[in-house]
Structures are given as C-alpha cells and as structure tokens.
Amino acid sequence: MHGMGVQAVLTVVLILFTATVKTQKGEISVWKTKVTLTCPEIGKWYKDDTVITEKTDDADLEIEEKSHTFTYEGKTTFHCEYTSEDDKPTKYYFRFEGKVCEDCYEVDARLIGLVIIVDIVGTALLMILICSCTQNKSSAGPAHSSKGTNTLEC
C-alpha cells in the first residue's frame, strides 16, 4: 500500500512539471479549456496559415498582439509572424497537443511540497504527544490492578 502512495506522489510531481510547456522564447500555458500562446515579440497570428482576424462592425482587423488565447478544440498549428531585431520577418510556430477539461485545476509544486512538509511535521508532533502520554502512565514497578475508574491522564 505504501508503494502506491509513492507512485501517486511521483505521478503528481511529473504532471506538475509538464503542466506548463515553455519553448525557447515563446510560451504555451493552459487553464481549463483555454490555451494561451505567447509569441517572443508582437506580431500577426495565424491558424493553419490563415490570418486570425477580429470581427468588428465595419471590417475584419488583423490581430497584432504578443499573446493569443483560444478555446482548445483539437490539434491545430498556430504561428506568429513578427519582425526580428535584424528587421527580418520571423515565424514562430506553436503546435499544442494535449488534453484539457473544464473541471481541471493547476496545482503548484510549492503547494504540494508544503502539504507534504505539514503532514510530516504534524505526524511527528502527534507521535511525540502519544509517546509522552504513554511514558507518564507506565512506571518501573509492577502493574497495578484496575479499580474501575475511567480517567484519562496525560
């Protein structure tokens, strides 16, 4: 049974390290069903080589932002096109393949570590309390017979 607990903790730690995927300069972050792509610089966004536009009353406007957020529906390729420092047009590709769900929550590794430490300290304190209470009840002499009183001494 102890081995299963260790496996569960290792699985949670592995999931925490793979929850947010960072690329060389860009970033992909996931929260529930929303995926946010962050381009290294401000640029135009493309989905499957088609410019992503924003619908307005008058016309469609091309989106030029550093980040693009969308609802994940399946495997799709995005890229942003921006002008690099040497004035060359640069394309930065994103391909996200993963599972998302509406009821998922991201758990921080620090939170898991804190829970484990508090559990260990709490268990140690409980063991010390139990040991100190049992040492006060035992004596070096012979065992006394019970007189029928039910008192708890600690």
Side-chain angles (χ1 to χ4, degrees):
M1 195 66 154
H2 178 68
M4 288 177 58
V6 171
Q7 288 177 350
V9 169
L10 290 176
T11 302
V12 168
V13 170
L14 179 65
I15 290 171
L16 292 175
F17 285 122
T18 60
T20 301
V21 180
K22 288 191 176 184
T23 56
Q24 185 179 4
K25 292 182 182 178
E27 183 177 321
I28 299 174
S29 60
V30 181
W31 177 249
K32 296 188 178 187
T33 59
K34 299 288 184 189
V35 178
T36 302
L37 308 174
T38 304
C39 191
E41 299 292 330
I42 295 174
K44 293 181 186 176
W45 284 94
Y46 296 83
K47 177 181 179 181
D48 296 325
D49 295 326
T50 305
V51 177
I52 298 173
T53 58
E54 183 178 320
K55 303 267 186 213
T56 62
D57 293 337
D58 298 333
D60 293 343
L61 300 174
E62 293 180 356
I63 297 175
E64 287 205 22
E65 297 176 337
K66 189 165 182 170
S67 295
H68 175 63
T69 302
F70 63 96
T71 302
Y72 183 72
E73 296 172 356
K75 298 176 186 177
T76 309
T77 302
F78 287 87
H79 76 271
C80 64
E81 191 172 301
Y82 62 95
T83 305
S84 62
E85 295 170 357
D86 55 356
D87 292 330
K88 289 183 181 178
T90 304
K91 292 182 180 179
Y92 197 89
Y93 285 88
F94 296 90
R95 177 148 177 97
F96 177 73
E97 298 179 24
K99 292 184 178 182
V100 296
C101 63
E102 186 65 36
D103 299 326
C104 296
Y105 291 95
E106 185 176 340
V107 180
D108 189 17
R110 286 178 264 160
L111 177 65
I112 295 294
L114 180 66
V115 167
I116 291 170
I117 290 170
V118 168
D119 182 47
I120 291 171
V121 169
T123 303
L125 291 175
L126 184 63
M127 288 173 54
I128 291 170
L129 178 69
I130 290 171
C131 287
S132 67
C133 285
T134 56
Q135 285 176 355
N136 289 340
K137 287 185 178 182
S138 64
S139 62
H144 300 288
S145 63
S146 175
K147 296 184 180 178
T149 58
N150 253 348
T151 60
L152 179 63
E153 295 179 19
C154 188

